[in-house]
Amino acid sequence: MIRFVFLLPFVFSALILNAQLTKEDYERADSVSKFRNMVLNEVLELNWIDTTELFWYKTRISSDTIRYYIVDAKSLSKRLAFDHDRVAKVLKEDLNMNAKPGQLWLNKLKFSPEIESFTFQYKDSVWKCHITEDYKLEAIAPANKRHSGGHWGKTRDELGNGPVTSPDGKKVAFIRDYNLFVRMLDEEEPVQLSFDGAAVDLYSSYISWSPDSRYLTTNKVRLHEKRYMQFIESSPKEQLLPKLHKIEYLRAGDVLPIHRPTLFDVQERKQIDIDTRAFENQYSISNVKWLANSKAFTFEFNQRGHQRYQVVKVDAMTGEILIVIDEKSSTFIDYSGKRYRYDLEDTQEIIWASERDGWNHLYLFDGQSGKMKNAVTKGEWVVRGVEHVNEDERFIIFRGSGRNKNEDPYFEHYYRVGFNGKGLVDLTPDKRQHKATFSHDYKFFVDTYSTPDIPPVSVLRQSADGKILMTLEKADVSKLTECGWVAPEPFVAKGRDGKTDIWGNIYRPSNFDPQKSYPIIEYIYAGPHSSFVQKSFVPYMGHFSRLAELGFIIVQIDGMGTSNRSKAFHNVCYKNLKDAGFPDRIKWMKAAAEKYPYMDTTRVGIFGASAGGQSAMGAVLFHPDFYSAAVASCGCHDNRMDKMWWNEQWMGYPVGPHYAESSNVVNAHLLEGHLLLIVGENDDNVDPASTMQVVDALINADKEFELLVLPGVNHTLGGKYGERKRRDFFVRYLLNEATPNWNN
């Protein structure tokens, strides 16, 4: 009788679940990782060689053969970079390196300009291989090791910089007792230039001299009270007892130091007054730059809340201020993602990026008067980044997207345009995603272009007009398709407004059967700082591919609130991160299911990490009628708990009720579906306490959920163990099947 009681729960669970997946099913899902090495004739790595017109690239010419080539852009010739058999033999004999001729994979490879030798990194050393000396091998240096510069949240020690020598080498400026001093090298006693510095209101040791060595500027800094993130590492490898970590960490709403620019005439040994009252409400004062003629310096003012951003010029003789560029926004200025400034010293002009007309474009300003001379680019499309500014010929090479009709608006193209906005040329006209690698003089570039479902082509072009000079490689995916690989499908549907195109991808398993019904799982990252859907060809998408193989259709979508479209599209996120583009995402999936009835919108799951973890949990809180299961990893579940620079950029300042409205902690009681929370206990990016506070709120609301804490793990989607738990979770709640007995 007792035996029957113990078996009853197992019998009952077996009745609920339709079937059971096996370890072999998971192993088969993992086996799709082989897809990543099945693309032939694809440029895997490419670099131009020093200041020459030569470049090298690496490709796979068969399933077991890698080849390195040298290309001369001037003569349009191509040859093997070296004798692969000889190099493999030397590496095996001299380094005991398991290097087969067809599988050479050299890390941090660099050729000499004459192609007489190349260097590479192996284990703890940098090695040189002399091609012209029978491939003689020598160790030339220890490998560069990454040195930690400290945690990114640490604020600058304003007294931590050493003495600063003037450009003429005759003077040294330094801080003593919180004040600014200058020592003339031909005098014994230093000259004190400031007298009002104090322990909490001091002159910064980060000092900038004018080019003529007459003036200098630094900030007078009113210090703030430092704030910290603390967490316990439960299982440190070097000791038995737990370890407490304490990291400087500013959160949304915390007090900041205030920097006030100051100016000194060293020749006259006096301070020149600057009225800095207009810049007190600051997030930052940055990018101090002297004009080449020493008549003025500029700095950039980023107002707290990011609704105003200015380039400010200060006259060196009078201290008078001129606002050269003044950006204003009723929502936010995307200074962290779209700011671009290039100073043309000879003509005292500034090339500047702005969304002032609703789209991110380049403008030319008169740096003396602050008057805009002209728009360099314009239209309902966006500049994505500047590659090169040619001051002599007055043209710019830049990346842009959305300009071509009947094309994915996220596809990046490379353009050339004059400073006056004339002569715009699309250097990469094919309707695909482009990635360019330029020669040192920007006369040539290698253009690799593809889409998620069209394999890459790599060509050599000339930068003057984009003319193709030479085709390097056309990728061959025949081996992929022979193994059942199914390409991702780009899909577009209208957003919440019924007008705006929303773009995303659909990922299907390799054994896809259109007669079956598939649950949908969305991978979400809706961080407003960029867009995230795959645009180029990638045969293996890691957790996407492995998860799909268990019987799911995976989708990824860029909804409203993400970047790289219009300012109006982006503004949806403002003070409203809980939106995360969900109205667009849900409409998109419903439209896809109308076209493909095998996509089952009654079984929809979602997962993501960091900001995606916040959104994943938000899906089952705010949209439980559509999303029924969510896995949220290392989520920023309350924006008041997270890093200032990211959250105030989108949620604004001061911290108001809208922060609570977007909080998963405050809204935890709304949970209806299934939820798995994953967190690394050593997460120094998003405070682990953010997850534990949401756990506390769920418990107080008497909600059912699952929690996985990963000891010793930093910011993560979950790692190997977390991925297995995530797959198990979706198998149980979306496939309605039992998972393997992993302890057997």
Side-chain angles (χ1 to χ4, degrees), residues 611-670:
Q614 176 183 11
S615 298
M617 182 175 176
V620 289
L621 297 183
F622 306 119
H623 304 277
D625 54 332
F626 188 77
Y627 296 95
S628 59
V631 180
S633 300
C634 291
C636 160
H637 294 292
D638 190 310
N639 301 104
R640 296 168 294 188
M641 279 287 290
D642 197 36
K643 63 195 79 66
M644 174 191 289
W645 70 266
W646 195 87
N647 291 273
E648 285 191 12
Q649 168 77 95
W650 319 116
M651 292 292 284
Y653 175 85
V655 173
H658 56 286
Y659 274 80
E661 290 167 7
S662 285
S663 168
N664 290 344
V665 178
V666 173
N667 293 288
H669 63 281
L670 299 176

Side-chain angles (χ1 to χ4, degrees), residues 155-217:
T155 54
R156 186 172 73 178
D157 178 4
E158 296 294 346
L159 297 176
N161 197 33
V164 182
T165 303
S166 60
D168 64 8
K170 297 180 180 179
K171 314 173 192 71
V172 175
F174 59 94
I175 303 299
R176 176 188 292 174
D177 297 330
Y178 313 113
N179 280 296
L180 179 65
F181 287 75
V182 170
R183 182 190 302 277
M184 315 300 172
L185 295 186
D186 58 355
E187 299 179 13
E188 289 188 10
E189 292 299 318
V191 176
Q192 185 170 352
L193 295 179
S194 74
F195 297 88
D196 58 343
V200 295
D201 197 11
L202 52 83
Y203 286 86
S204 173
S205 61
Y206 292 87
I207 299 161
S208 178
W209 284 94
S210 63
D212 65 2
S213 302
R214 174 172 178 173
Y215 302 98
L216 56 76
T217 180

Side-chain angles (χ1 to χ4, degrees), residues 587-598:
K587 283 197 69 174
W588 186 96
M589 280 182 264
K590 288 180 176 179
E594 285 183 17
K595 182 176 181 180
Y596 303 119
Y598 49 77

Side-chain angles (χ1 to χ4, degrees), residues 698-728:
L698 289 166
I699 291 172
N700 290 336
D702 202 25
K703 294 294 182 177
E704 191 70 20
F705 65 97
E706 299 177 32
L707 171 66
L708 173 62
V709 179
L710 298 167
V713 174
N714 202 285
H715 200 56
T716 182
L717 186 59
K720 184 177 180 180
Y721 187 78
E723 181 173 353
R724 198 195 82 193
K725 297 292 285 186
R726 181 171 59 250
R727 290 195 286 183
D728 284 354

Side-chain angles (χ1 to χ4, degrees), residues 16 29 38 96 113 120 157 163 213 276 296 302 333 391 418 570 588 719:
I16 294 175
M38 286 186 173
N96 196 29
F120 63 96
D157 178 4
S213 302
T276 60
N302 189 353
I333 295 165
E391 297 188 35
H570 203 184
W588 186 96

Side-chain angles (χ1 to χ4, degrees), residues 412-428:
E412 291 177 284
H413 290 256
Y414 290 76
Y415 297 91
R416 172 177 165 144
V417 67
F419 286 5
N420 59 5
K422 297 179 180 179
L424 181 65
V425 177
D426 186 346
L427 302 174
T428 55

Side-chain angles (χ1 to χ4, degrees), residues 64-121:
D64 59 357
T65 306
I66 295 289
R67 283 286 178 263
Y68 293 82
Y69 292 100
I70 299 287
V71 177
D72 187 327
K74 193 171 183 179
S75 66
L76 303 182
S77 60
K78 170 179 149 181
R79 61 181 173 83
L80 285 175
F82 46 69
D83 183 331
H84 290 67
D85 292 335
R86 189 74 183 94
V87 170
K89 183 179 179 182
V90 169
L91 296 180
K92 188 172 184 179
E93 290 176 351
D94 293 8
L95 298 182
N96 196 29
M97 185 174 170
N98 185 22
K100 297 179 181 178
Q103 298 175 353
L104 285 175
W105 203 276
L106 300 172
N107 293 319
K108 298 188 177 179
L109 177 65
K110 186 176 182 180
F111 284 90
S112 65
E114 303 80 12
I115 321 299
E116 294 175 345
S117 64
F118 62 86
T119 59
F120 63 96
Q121 186 173 310

